[in-house]
């Protein structure tokens, strides 16, 4: 039995593909679909998104791998993944400061649109100022809409 482990890919799809190329438990076909080798297990340690233009594709590939191997693939949630759970409430409400930390400076989004609010949150409270444009790039590469509202 072999166990593969990787963590903190953070949207860098090319980095993940290099990992798979050297892995003894995963393979990737020409379409980018992942397969798990017989008698192997795989653990993804979290932080799948934020720092590269491959978030959507990487999430889709890992989810498909898990669906195809439910008892042998384990996807852990990292802090970068977990802290995004607050985004729906913060993008749809209009507090002057992040409700969870009153010491953070007030939102400064002019005009106060969901896209501008997300940019502000990514930059000032989530530590990933390039994520908005990374997502736009990936949506464009996937042939999906890439306007501000699509990114949100």
């Amino acid at each position: 039995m072999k166990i593969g482990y990787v963590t903190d890919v953070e949207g860098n799809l090319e980095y993940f593909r290099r990992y798979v190329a050297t892995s003894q438990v995963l393979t990737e076909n020409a379409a980018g679909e992942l397969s798990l080798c017989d008698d192997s297990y795989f653990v993804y340690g979290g932080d799948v998104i934020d720092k590269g233009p491959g978030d959507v594709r990487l999430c889709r590939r890992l989810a498909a791998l898990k669906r195809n191997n439910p008892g042998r693939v384990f996807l852990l949630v990292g802090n970068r993944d977990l802290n995004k759970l607050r985004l729906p409430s913060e993008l749809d409400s209009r507090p002057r400061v992040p409700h969870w930390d009153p010491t953070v400076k007030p939102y400064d989004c002019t005009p106060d649109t969901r896209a501008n609010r997300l940019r502000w949150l990514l930059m000032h409270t989530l530590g990933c100022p390039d994520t908005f444009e990374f997502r736009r790039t990936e949506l464009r590469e996937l042939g999906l809409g890439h306007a501000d509202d699509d990114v949100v």
Side-chain angles (χ1 to χ4, degrees):
M1 170 180 60
K2 294 180 181 177
I3 299 173
Y5 177 84
V6 68
T7 189
D8 295 286
V9 174
E10 298 178 352
N12 188 332
L13 188 56
E14 291 310 311
Y15 171 81
F16 184 74
R17 295 181 86 194
R18 287 193 304 273
Y19 165 79
V20 171
T22 62
S23 172
Q24 296 181 18
V25 302
L26 294 177
T27 60
E28 179 181 30
N29 68 19
E33 297 164 339
L34 298 173
S35 296
L36 185 63
C37 298
D38 292 338
D39 298 323
S40 296
Y41 291 81
F42 176 71
V43 178
Y44 187 88
D47 292 346
V48 72
I49 60 174
D50 271 346
K51 304 252 176 138
D55 294 354
V56 173
R57 289 168 287 174
L58 186 55
C59 287
R60 286 178 177 173
R61 289 173 189 181
L62 290 172
L65 182 67
K66 173 68 175 171
R67 270 191 311 274
N68 294 334
N69 305 277
R72 299 189 301 135
V73 172
F74 304 90
L75 306 177
L76 306 179
V77 178
N79 66 310
R80 300 201 76 78
D81 309 314
L82 189 59
N83 66 24
K84 302 308 179 292
L85 294 177
R86 66 181 237 239
L87 288 178
S89 67
E90 291 194 45
L91 292 175
D92 288 337
S93 64
R94 299 291 183 238
R96 285 199 22 80
V97 297
H99 63 85
W100 50 269
D101 187 354
T103 64
V104 173
K105 70 180 188 174
Y107 291 123
D108 184 15
C109 309
T110 306
D112 189 8
T113 64
R114 292 180 77 209
N116 285 343
R117 183 174 288 237
L118 179 57
R119 284 185 186 97
W120 189 93
L121 289 166
L122 292 169
M123 179 174 289
H124 295 286
T125 71
L126 295 169
C128 47
D130 300 321
T131 298
F132 194 92
E133 292 306 319
F134 283 147
R135 177 61 52 87
R136 183 190 314 277
T137 298
E138 184 170 28
L139 292 175
R140 186 178 290 121
E141 288 176 18
L142 291 170
L144 302 172
H146 53 273
D148 283 359
D149 286 343
D150 299 318
V151 174
V152 173

